[in-house]
Each structure stands twice: as structure tokens, then as C-alpha cells.
Amino acid sequence: QVDVAESGGGLVQAGGSLRLSCAVSRYTLEAYTMGWFRQAPGREREFVAGIPRITGEATYANFVQGRFTISKDSAKNTLELEMSNLRPDDTAVYYCAATFRAYGSSPSEYDSWGQGTQVTVSS
């Protein structure tokens, strides 16, 4: 089973940007469908963005609205999430996840999870 670990969270003002990184170890991330999820207090964990292992085409939740970009750095074996024009309702713990399934947008479809990184957007 692949291991993943997030980094890059922090506090940012509304309209600002952050870049999250997910270090993948034990196996190459190219063999997995990779995803970013988030969970705000009192809410269920939700899909943010993902890259299916077969198509390699990024998919995004509707609320992203062109503000986030998910990408892979194969040389570093990391998954990235570039976030811009952040809003207070983007405040959440952000998680990186991996699955061997061809595609997944539900947390139940992912097998490996990191500990999460906090993103706080102030108004």
C-alpha cells in the first residue's frame, strides 16, 4: 500500500494563494489514481480534485470553479494542488489520497490517506 503525506497548508487572506504538496512513497504515484479531498468542521469529507491513473485527465469538484489546479511531479513523486483566489469557505483540512481504482471521487473509493494539512482562509 502506498504511503502519502501532505504539506503546504497555512493561513492566508481571502483572495490569496497556497500550494499543497503530497509526497508519495513506497510506489510510484503513476500507478495510482490520486485525489485531493477536504473536510471542514462539522461537514463530511468532500472531493476537491483528482487525476485518474489511466486517463491522466484532471477532474474537479464544481465549487473549484477554475481556482485550483491539480498536477503530478513524476520526478519528485509528488501530487500538487495549486489554489488561488481562496475564499473563507475553502477553510478545511485538506487530504491527499490514493487508490488503485481507475477513477474515484468518493472518499470510500480511496485506500491510502495522509494525515491532512490545515488550510485557513481569513476574510
Side-chain angles (χ1 to χ4, degrees), residues 8-71:
L11 173 64
V12 64
Q13 290 189 330
S17 301
L18 275 177
R19 185 178 184 90
L20 305 183
S21 185
C22 171
V24 179
S25 58
R26 295 169 53 126
Y27 299 99
T28 173
L29 85 167
E30 297 296 339
Y32 292 84
T33 289
M34 302 296 300
W36 285 101
F37 291 77
R38 70 184 189 183
Q39 188 166 18
R43 301 189 65 175
E44 294 190 352
R45 194 168 296 188
E46 62 180 351
F47 177 77
V48 176
I51 301 181
R53 65 180 179 88
I54 294 178
T55 68
E57 296 179 2
T59 60
Y60 297 93
N62 289 338
F63 63 77
V64 169
Q65 297 176 335
R67 300 178 298 128
F68 300 174
T69 301
I70 187 173
S71 62

